[in-house]
């Protein structure tokens, strides 16, 4: 708050004349307690805005990291589903080799074929989910490129554990 709350300049004439006969300048100082209260209010409001900003920033960072983690999880699930499909195809090849046998159980072959179709459908769903995540990342940011993965640059669990163990040790005095 400024030290002067209000400044007034008054001019008065007694004779209905254009010239002023009386001039007055008034200063109204601000109450010292009002100045202290305004400073305290300003500090509290500044801290509140800073906390609101930090909360919004943390929420946005959490959202972005969550999307990145979802993307990596989708890639891993796609990889595992592709391996499962390969395994299912190999099982079908083994069953197809025994098609000429008269003791061949066609119901098992049909079940395995149906399982392969279900796995392929699940893989397509996972790929769709991955594309959806990429679209969300691109729509929320100005990112237009491809997402490249370098697992070597990630911090491993062991490194995090070592860093936290090192930081938790109390130095001897």
């Amino acid at each position: 708050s400024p030290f002067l709350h209000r400044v007034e300049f008054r001019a008065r004439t007694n004779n209905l004349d254009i010239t002023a006969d009386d001039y007055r300048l008034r200063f109204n100082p601000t109450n010292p307690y009002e100045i202290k209260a305004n400073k305290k209010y300003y500090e509290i409001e500044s801290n509140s805005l800073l906390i609101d900003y930090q909360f919004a920033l943390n929420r946005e960072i959490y959202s972005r990291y969550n999307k990145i983690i979802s993307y990596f999880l989708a890639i891993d699930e796609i990889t595992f589903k592709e391996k499962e499909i390969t395994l299912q195809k190999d099982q079908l090849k083994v069953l197809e080799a025994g098609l000429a046998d008269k003791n061949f159980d066609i119901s098992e072959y049909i079940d395995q074929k149906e399982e392969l179709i279900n796995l392929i459908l699940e893989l397509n769903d996972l790929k769709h989910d991955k594309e959806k995540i990429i679209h969300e990342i691109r729509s929320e940011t100005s990112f237009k490129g491809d997402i490249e993965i370098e697992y070597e640059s990630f911090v491993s669990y062991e490194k995090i554990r070592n860093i936290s163990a090192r930081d938790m040790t109390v130095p001897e005095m």
Side-chain angles (χ1 to χ4, degrees):
S1 284
F3 290 108
L4 291 176
H5 181 61
R6 185 172 42 173
V7 176
E8 292 181 17
F9 176 75
R10 293 184 178 185
R12 185 173 90 181
T13 180
N14 294 332
N15 301 335
L16 298 176
D17 202 354
I18 300 252
T19 61
D21 297 331
D22 190 13
Y23 298 101
R24 293 181 187 188
L25 185 61
R26 289 186 178 182
F27 297 101
N28 290 342
T30 304
N31 185 343
Y33 295 110
E34 182 182 353
I35 293 173
K36 285 182 184 179
N38 283 344
K39 284 183 181 179
K40 189 173 183 179
Y41 173 79
Y42 175 77
E43 289 173 7
I44 290 171
E45 188 66 23
S46 296
N47 288 339
S48 174
L49 289 174
L50 184 63
I51 290 169
D52 289 346
Y53 171 76
Q54 192 65 40
F55 178 75
L57 181 65
N58 289 344
R59 187 176 53 221
E60 186 63 29
I61 289 172
Y62 173 80
S63 172
R64 289 183 182 195
Y65 274 117
N66 198 14
K67 284 186 176 87
I68 291 170
I69 290 169
S70 297
Y71 175 77
F72 289 136
L73 182 63
I75 287 176
D76 286 344
E77 287 176 346
I78 288 170
T79 303
F80 290 130
K81 195 58 72 173
E82 287 172 343
K83 289 178 182 178
E84 196 174 352
I85 288 173
T86 303
L87 180 65
Q88 189 67 30
K89 285 180 180 179
D90 290 343
Q91 287 178 346
L92 278 173
K93 285 180 186 176
V94 170
L95 285 174
E96 287 170 355
L99 273 174
D101 189 12
K102 63 181 178 178
N103 294 330
F104 182 74
D105 185 12
I106 193 73
S107 62
E108 183 180 349
Y109 178 76
I110 292 172
D111 290 342
Q112 293 296 325
K113 198 72 156 164
E114 184 180 347
E115 180 67 25
L116 177 64
I117 292 170
N118 288 337
L119 289 173
I120 291 172
L121 290 174
E122 289 174 13
L123 177 65
N124 286 338
D125 288 344
L126 289 172
K127 287 181 178 180
H128 174 72
D129 290 345
K130 180 185 133 192
E131 291 301 318
K132 182 178 163 188
I133 293 169
I134 290 173
H135 177 71
E136 287 176 3
I137 290 172
R138 287 184 178 154
S139 66
E140 290 182 6
T141 62
S142 60
F143 181 72
K144 301 292 182 212
D146 291 331
I147 300 174
E148 297 179 11
I149 304 170
E150 295 179 14
Y151 285 108
E152 298 81 27
S153 64
F154 291 150
V155 177
S156 67
Y157 172 75
E158 291 79 23
K159 286 182 183 178
I160 293 172
R161 190 178 64 206
N162 291 339
I163 290 170
S164 62
R166 184 187 66 211
D167 290 344
M168 293 170 91
T169 57
V170 178
E172 296 180 19
M173 293 192 182

